[in-house]
Amino acid sequence: MYQLFFSPGACSLASHITLREAGLPFELKRLKFAEGQQRSPDYLKVNPKGRVPALVTPEGTITETPAILFYIAQIAPDKKLAPLDNPFELARLQAFNSFIASTVHVAHAHGPRGSRWATEPTSLEDMRRKVPETMRDSFRLIEQDLTGDFVMGDRFTIADPYLFTMSSWLKDDAVEISEFPRVKAHFERMQARDAVREALAAEAAG
């Protein structure tokens, strides 16, 4: 049994969906960010970074979304959630997930999490104003590369829940998903998947 520490609306949704796609047994552990539970002594023992996701496995705890997604793909190889037998295609997938983690997520975070980088009110406001521009720049690149039903073409992989999660943040970033027809189609395709519906319902409950 695995344990996934998550917060509704956070990037942990990607790991949550992927666990369901993999058919692995897991327990959800909800953290309420508004109450500061991510900084509680108990949680900091699990993840000293004080962030989500954190996946507790029989071998220990894994943090960071790309690492968790890749781990799930490896322990459920029969689900073919990553091209584990093709080094080039696997590198392409990892490049996409790295871009999401290092660029797209960071661009978004400059809005609600600007205090990580600055303290002056004018600096924080400037970062917030910049978010729609940087998110559009990122999604233009994603739109350009989406040539099939999924990130890797016609094959669902661990990259798809990650993109779905980022796409779900666009509205809050003052960007209309309709500006990116391929991304919008991908988002709607993902919404129809059982694992996505189940994950969203579970996170909305409680």
Side-chain angles (χ1 to χ4, degrees), residues 39-69:
R39 295 184 298 273
S40 68
D42 284 345
Y43 184 60
L44 291 176
K45 292 176 184 176
V46 176
N47 182 7
K49 300 169 187 174
R51 297 183 186 180
V52 294
L55 182 68
V56 180
T57 80
E59 294 82 19
T61 300
I62 304 171
T63 62
E64 305 301 330
T65 297
I68 292 172
L69 297 180

Side-chain angles (χ1 to χ4, degrees), residues 74-187:
Q74 291 180 97
I75 62 173
D78 57 309
K79 300 298 183 180
K80 300 187 183 303
L81 296 174
L84 301 176
D85 58 350
N86 187 320
F88 180 76
E89 289 299 300
L90 183 58
R92 286 184 58 234
L93 185 153
Q94 295 289 65
F96 181 87
N97 281 356
S98 296
F99 176 70
I100 294 291
S102 66
T103 301
V104 184
H105 193 165
V106 174
H108 164 80
H110 275 74
R113 302 280 185 264
S115 59
R116 291 176 181 171
W117 296 280
T119 55
E120 293 294 333
T122 54
S123 299
L124 295 170
E125 180 55 34
D126 193 31
M127 283 193 286
R128 281 192 289 269
R129 283 197 301 266
K130 189 77 171 174
V131 168
E133 177 187 338
T134 54
M135 289 296 282
R136 281 190 177 93
D137 288 345
S138 295
F139 271 84
R140 284 191 190 101
L141 293 173
I142 294 170
E143 177 79 4
Q144 178 180 309
D145 287 343
L146 267 181
T147 57
D149 287 348
F150 301 106
V151 171
M152 297 297 291
D154 60 357
R155 182 177 180 180
F156 176 91
T157 68
I158 56 174
D160 295 295
Y162 210 3
L163 175 56
F164 174 79
T165 301
M166 296 297 115
S167 299
S168 72
W169 292 352
L170 284 174
K171 187 174 182 179
D172 287 343
D173 292 331
V175 178
E176 291 296 328
I177 196 172
S178 59
E179 296 178 32
F180 309 100
R182 293 174 180 175
V183 172
K184 183 174 184 287
H186 177 271
F187 186 78

